Amino acid sequence: MKHNLLLEQYSKYKKIELEESPFHFLLNANIELNPHQINAFCAAIQALKTGGIVLADEVGLGKTIEAGLVLKYVIDSGKNHILISLPASLRKQWEIELLEKFGLTSYILDKQTVEKDFKYWASRLTDSSKQSIIITSYAYSSKLMKAFPKAKWDFIIIDEAHNLRNVFHGTKRAKNLFELSKGIPKILLTATPLQNSLTDLHGLISFIDPRIFGSEKVFVKRYVNDQDYADLKHELLPVLYRTLRKDVAKYMNFKKRICKTVDFSLSVDEIELYQRVNDFLKRDILYSIPTSNRGLIILVIRKLLASSSFALIETFEVLKQRLEKLYQGTRSANAQEGFDLFWSYVEDEIDESGFEEPDDEDTVIQKQYIKSEIDEIDEIITVANRISTNAKLQALKSAIKIAFDYQQEHEISQKVVVFTESKRTQKYIANELRKEGYQDDDIVLFNGDFDDAMSKELYRAWQVKNFGKVNYGRSVEYKHAIVDYFKNNAKILICTDAGSEGLNLQFCNAVINYDLPWNPMKIEQRIGRCHRYGQRNDVVAINLLNTQNAADQRVYEILSKKFELFEGVFGASDIALGVLESGVSFEKMILEIYQSCNTTAEFKKAFDKLDRKLNAKRDKKAKQLRSLLLTESSNAKEASLDKTKEEIAEYLREVEYWSDCTEARVEGGLRYLEVDNECMNMLCEHGTLFIGSFCNSTSLLFPVLLLCNSEGTYINVSEPELVEVIEKINDSDVHTFSPSKDESEAYKRVYDKLCSEMLLKYQKQTSPVIEYNKRKIENWERIQMDQLVADYQDMQAEIEAIQHQEKASTNFYEKIDIRKKIAEKKKALESYQAAFHQKGTEFKTEGDKEIAEFNKQFDVNPVLIINIVLKF
């Protein structure tokens, strides 16, 4: 660019503005720019001013990238202490992504790490000048905060936040984190903010700010009972941002899903095994399974029954060992050994208090039951051992051939991912495929344990190949080694659900569900390993179906038709949300049917009932509930993304343009210039151009490039138009001049007017967040009054209940006692009623005080700094 002192002076401030723009963080991040992620990022940094936001994009749209951008912004804004709370299995993945994509160093902390060097972490976490991005599990997050009470956390990220939705009647980890993180700005990441009921939203949004919805009682009355969905959506608008895959199809090329099924029939021995296990699981009394965990363990056993006979053997051996200890008189709490086998299969938390002594009963009778149960388990193990190969395995071989034939026909690399829920089944499949003729090098296993010889060898080779590079940690490096090998060498990856989390397999387009989970979201996660951004081919999902089992067929039909898991472009997560039966709750409904039904007619009746229930949840009301999460219409979302894409392109163009400008040659003070060039006359016949900045004391609010006519009236001309004209002015056309007294007074009047214009511009920028906070606090005041009314009504209802009790009593003395209790309750009610208006006034006073305190941060000492006055 040629030298131009006018543009050079303006560029001084323009460069600062560009650096302070949210888009600035795109320049140093190693990511591909997608408009929806930038929109989510912008929504988040705006929301942080009032507490935070839930980022709820569908699976595979890059919520981690959105969070990383926000984190980068927060750090560059001067905040140093960041806490990232998430499932333990995702800690290393986050550490790597922050380093690779954003250049941010983070630290994974757990109890052992902290205790090993307590003084160091105490010093670091209480030193506000040291940057500390801490990654830790849900369970340890609150323990860490308690261990270092003097540490001031500036920002919190909670990943997979739906795990903490039951904050008010769930696990301690959710309650503790909720209490300790109050008032700290945060973002929550989840693809499923609404899983089982509207109260899920109450739990999640309360993490952002408990004042938005108030108590669960008020929330349920207003939004569940009264169904005030319009108001609910209005309240969600500033605190929930969600994008669906269909919204971004224009920018992210998602391929289709193609569904195929391979049918199979069980052998005689397999049918006998199925029947024996089914009968066993329906026994009224089961000493082999702890009572409080019975449902979960039965669910696991049914999963393994659908997996393979080989997976069942190990399971029933564990149950038998427990029974033998109980038979010998060992306390059942000590008969817990081996039950770790089950925990990896279930998403609910295990109740360890369930391993208590059986009900006190006659020891002889108890031993008879236990002996009978051991005999039944022995029969199950005998039948399972009799089976040398499973019919389903033959179906798998056919499925692999179908996948390979499809890939060959479409000239795609031959690769397939086979999912099973059992490690034992995983090894059995690998051995049988090798017998079929597949080479050892064709097959690779992934389950998170990395205990087989091949995985260890692949890891060693990967270490040699990547010697001297970043140390990711053993488990993550194993994952890299196996994925790299599958991508470049192997044809078949046999994977368990426990090992699949975080795998990116978009180079493979075939997924086979060897056994099919009942949890729709788990199936979605499986297919999502391949059907994700970057996949170049349609994804083939193949399921193996037992044609002899009507119940299995009905489950598959529901998963396929109701949840639309296996076909189409956009996957299932939003459909699953629509019927509000995704995940664990749906899984338990299916288990109940398997446990309670015995005949074909009973199964048909139960599944028909479930069908009707799911259909009812897809009606007008269901669509209305789903729409709560979509804070923009499809057209508005598309327009918003188009606009963002244009803004990103414009921002990058501006960065390139202004970075080409040399440093300003007009430093400090004010220069009066006039121009001979007639270019300015294109905008206005005579007038003045002002170049400078509008500041809060000394910090820049925005650069100033303003045009006024000869009367001193501000002319609204866009920056690009002004820059285009200024470009045509040569330095030789510009001369200094000394303003006359009249001109100086005129410039002073214009200056005052421009100050007012700039202040209005600033207030217009800040007014949305000020108005939202005011509305939020005023809504909180109304919620508090609603809570008072609800409590008053509860007290009235309690008095009425006691009055009914008094009328029903036939005992004179009892009546006297009840009447005393009624009198006490009425007196308390009267006191409560008398204080009602006073409490309302207190809420109003507290709210006004908080609004005023919040607004102080936007107060400015406005200073308009003019460096150049250009007369033309």
Side-chain angles (χ1 to χ4, degrees), residues 556-659:
Y556 173 76
E557 184 182 297
I558 290 171
L559 292 171
S560 178
K561 301 288 174 61
K562 291 289 187 295
F563 289 97
E564 300 177 24
L565 278 164
F566 306 115
E567 302 210 40
V569 176
F570 303 117
S573 57
D574 201 51
I575 300 295
L577 281 169
V579 295
L580 294 178
E581 294 295 352
S582 63
V584 177
S585 64
F586 178 78
E587 197 172 44
K588 289 178 179 175
M589 289 163 64
I590 297 296
L591 176 63
E592 176 59 30
I593 293 175
Y594 274 83
Q595 282 294 104
S596 61
C597 298
N598 294 302
T599 66
T600 303
E602 288 175 350
F603 273 109
K604 184 179 184 306
K605 184 178 179 182
F607 276 110
D608 286 348
K609 183 179 178 181
L610 178 59
D611 250 351
R612 289 192 295 273
K613 183 177 180 180
L614 295 178
N615 285 334
K617 290 180 178 292
R618 296 170 71 96
D619 60 11
K620 184 178 178 181
K621 179 185 172 185
K623 290 177 182 176
Q624 199 171 17
L625 288 174
R626 284 172 64 196
S627 73
L628 289 174
L629 303 177
L630 305 177
T631 48
E632 293 177 288
S633 68
S634 293
N635 290 338
K637 174 71 85 172
E638 184 178 354
S640 174
L641 294 179
D642 285 344
K643 184 178 178 222
T644 299
K645 190 169 186 183
E646 290 170 7
E647 287 174 350
I648 293 170
E650 176 61 20
Y651 176 79
L652 296 176
R653 188 197 67 76
E654 285 194 332
V655 168
E656 184 179 3
Y657 179 89
W658 292 107
S659 63

Side-chain angles (χ1 to χ4, degrees), residues 17 31 40 68 230 337 424 453 504 646 727 804 809 825 843 859:
E17 182 188 50
I31 58 171
E337 189 179 339
R424 191 152 182 173
N504 297 325
E646 290 170 7
E727 277 183 331
H804 285 303
S809 176
K825 295 286 182 184
F843 293 143
D859 291 343

Side-chain angles (χ1 to χ4, degrees), residues 708-720:
C708 293
N709 62 20
S710 55
E711 283 79 40
T713 304
Y714 169 61
I715 300 175
N716 190 10
V717 180
S718 71
E719 180 192 278

Side-chain angles (χ1 to χ4, degrees), residues 70 152 157 179 226 443 465 546 569 647 650 736 742 773 794 813 815 831:
V70 178
K152 303 298 181 188
I157 297 173
E179 290 297 335
D226 296 348
I443 300 168
K465 182 181 174 183
N546 179 1
V569 176
E647 287 174 350
E650 176 61 20
T736 60
D742 289 344
N773 182 69
D794 286 347
Y813 295 105
K815 278 180 176 287
S831 298

Side-chain angles (χ1 to χ4, degrees), residues 32 59 68 117 144 218 236 264 272 290 299 329 501 536 556 617 624 630 682 689-690 701 760 778 818 824:
E32 189 171 344
V59 175
D117 207 347
L144 180 70
V218 172
L236 287 173
F264 67 92
E272 182 184 346
L299 175 63
E501 208 164 35
R536 296 180 179 180
Y556 173 76
K617 290 180 178 292
Q624 199 171 17
L630 305 177
M682 296 165 57
L689 179 69
F690 295 86
L701 294 174
L760 285 172
E778 288 174 347
I818 293 173
E824 288 171 3

Side-chain angles (χ1 to χ4, degrees), residues 198-258:
L198 282 179
T199 54
D200 291 348
L201 288 175
H202 175 262
L204 290 179
I205 302 303
S206 293
F207 265 97
I208 301 297
D209 189 337
R211 297 170 303 181
I212 294 173
F213 288 138
S215 71
E216 190 171 16
K217 183 191 288 187
V218 172
F219 179 88
V220 168
K221 182 185 182 305
R222 183 180 291 187
Y223 300 120
V224 179
N225 299 339
D226 296 348
Q227 297 183 8
D228 190 355
Y229 299 145
D231 183 59
L232 177 55
K233 188 164 185 173
H234 186 61
E235 294 302 326
L236 287 173
L237 187 62
V239 289
L240 187 141
Y241 184 89
R242 181 168 174 80
T243 301
L244 305 182
R245 276 174 274 200
K246 66 181 181 182
D247 296 329
V248 298
K250 188 173 178 179
Y251 305 105
M252 303 172 76
N253 184 20
F254 285 105
K255 296 299 181 180
K256 289 191 300 183
R257 294 181 182 187
I258 300 168

